[in-house]
Amino acid sequence: MDGCLPLDHAIISTMCPKWKELMRIKKKKGDDCVGIVIGIEENFLCMEETEVVVLGWQLSMFSAKVRIALAEKGIKYEYRQEDIPHNKSPLLLKLNPVYKKIPVLIHNGRHVCESKIIVEYIDETWKDKSPLLPSDPYLRSQARFWADYTDKIYEIGMKLIMGSKGEEMEKARQEFLVCLKVFEGELGEKPFFMGDAFGHVDIALISYYHHFYTYETLGNFSLKNDCPKLFAWATKCMKRESVSTILTDPNIIYEAIIIFRKSMNLED
Ligand SMILES: N[C@@H](CCC(=O)N[C@@H](CS)C(=O)NCC(=O)O)C(=O)O
């Protein structure tokens, strides 16, 4: 088994009751250490050394980010849908004990947490295809800054989702529009945020796009009318297979949020 088990052995033993049996099978086949096996309760997942797993959630912009980056690089991966927030898998809790959040990327048995860190890891690991961050250190810093700023959308979006009617919603709506205008100003006349190529900042922002129908409806604004350049950029991004095949149907997100709002007595 030497050289083939970068994953913490303790994790495997606790997560995988059939681990020993599986290793026996591997040995029998000729223990040439091509892969590892992770087991979660009865549910087994076999990983070749180069295989990749994403723990994610359909409604999450953060897991969308990671999946779009992998799609841009043409990396095949196993997608494991988590049940967030109340029924997280033991594997997620084990691999992200600090935040207990998706997404988590598992690659060669080692795991990476936090979506933007994961996207950078993906870019640095599979450097040959579709660079996502500029190679110039200054431009990289700028890309990181703007990708980081997309977290504001989440922050203000939560105010819209959690807001009730009236003044509170109007304040969130205004704040949201200011944030969008900042992005629109930064985009300017460029095709993508860092220039001609789709990259880190585009991925970070477009990952929110499936939530925009909800934001627009709750916040009573229109991206198309209020931020036409950003709308044109989003339309262009949506033409990419890496984006359109990953983002969830906006209606599903809207319905989920309305159910949540009703449960919180924020909707009639
Ligand atoms: N900063 C994190 C945020 C990830 C995050 O908030 N994930 C949410 C789903 S959208 C989650 O797992 N929430 C579970 C919880 O809060 O218990 C990232 O960029 O990866």
Side-chain angles (χ1 to χ4, degrees):
M1 293 190 335
D2 281 351
C4 72
L5 263 184
L7 187 73
D8 182 344
H9 220 298
I11 291 178
I12 297 172
S13 319
T14 51
M15 308 300 302
C16 181
K18 291 184 184 165
W19 168 246
K20 280 194 186 121
E21 187 190 322
L22 286 159
M23 287 320 291
R24 248 198 327 270
I25 294 165
K26 247 174 80 61
K27 266 212 158 91
K28 223 171 156 186
K29 281 184 175 170
D31 191 14
D32 55 356
C33 295
V34 290
I36 63 160
V37 183
I38 295 179
I40 314 158
E41 293 160 359
E42 291 305 300
N43 190 1
F44 286 95
L45 167 69
C46 293
M47 295 172 70
E48 294 277 308
E49 195 171 85
T50 49
E51 269 189 276
V52 175
V53 179
V54 174
L55 307 184
W57 185 40
Q58 187 192 20
L59 301 188
S60 170
M61 52 290 271
F62 303 108
S63 51
K65 228 183 276 180
V66 170
R67 299 183 70 197
I68 293 170
L70 286 169
E72 282 290 322
K73 296 281 183 180
I75 303 302
K76 289 206 178 87
Y77 61 95
E78 172 86 24
Y79 177 61
R80 299 187 73 89
Q81 172 84 354
E82 287 285 332
D83 188 358
I84 300 290
H86 299 303
N87 196 18
K88 297 170 188 172
S89 74
L91 186 61
L92 171 59
L93 299 175
K94 199 81 185 175
L95 298 186
N96 193 354
V98 177
Y99 293 122
K100 302 178 176 61
K101 288 182 178 187
I102 56 91
V104 175
L105 178 93
I106 309 167
H107 177 220
N108 286 346
R110 296 191 297 183
H111 61 280
V112 186
C113 301
E114 283 294 306
S115 60
K116 290 189 298 275
I117 296 173
I118 298 172
V119 171
E120 291 204 24
Y121 173 84
I122 290 169
D123 197 35
E124 284 162 13
T125 303
W126 292 280
K127 356 180 163 20
D128 296 345
K129 196 180 168 201
S130 313
L132 303 175
L133 277 105
S135 51
D136 174 78
Y138 176 73
L139 294 177
R140 277 173 89 79
S141 76
Q142 299 310 293
R144 286 186 175 122
F145 175 88
W146 287 107
D148 208 47
Y149 188 67
T150 61
D151 285 352
K152 267 266 176 237
I153 303 259
Y154 181 73
E155 195 187 300
I156 310 169
M158 282 310 282
K159 291 184 191 171
L160 283 174
I161 288 167
M162 301 297 288
S164 52
K165 299 181 182 91
E167 215 176 288
E168 198 181 359
M169 279 305 243
E170 181 52 27
K171 214 173 142 212
R173 187 185 106 87
Q174 292 298 340
E175 230 183 297
F176 206 96
L177 281 173
V178 168
C179 180
L180 292 181
K181 297 269 182 210
V182 170
F183 276 112
E184 185 156 83
E186 174 57 24
L187 179 66
E189 302 305 322
K190 300 190 294 278
F192 295 108
F193 275 90
M194 293 308 292
D196 289 335
F198 178 82
H200 191 34
V201 186
D202 306 290
I203 292 176
L205 189 55
I206 202 62
S207 296
Y208 283 88
Y209 198 53
H210 52 176
H211 284 254
F212 266 64
Y213 173 64
T214 304
Y215 295 148
E216 287 175 301
T217 311
L218 294 177
N220 192 24
F221 69 89
S222 150
L223 185 70
K224 189 174 181 177
N225 296 335
D226 294 315
C227 299
K229 283 183 194 162
L230 214 48
F231 179 77
W233 162 86
T235 308
K236 189 163 47 202
C237 293
M238 286 301 288
K239 290 196 175 126
R240 300 177 84 81
E241 209 184 314
S242 63
V243 178
S244 62
T245 54
I246 299 298
L247 295 188
T248 303
D249 178 349
N251 290 304
I252 293 178
I253 293 181
Y254 180 72
E255 278 160 28
I257 300 295
I258 293 300
I259 291 169
F260 170 76
R261 282 176 62 81
K262 282 186 176 156
S263 75
M264 303 288 284
N265 292 324
L266 297 165
E267 286 283 317
D268 301 328

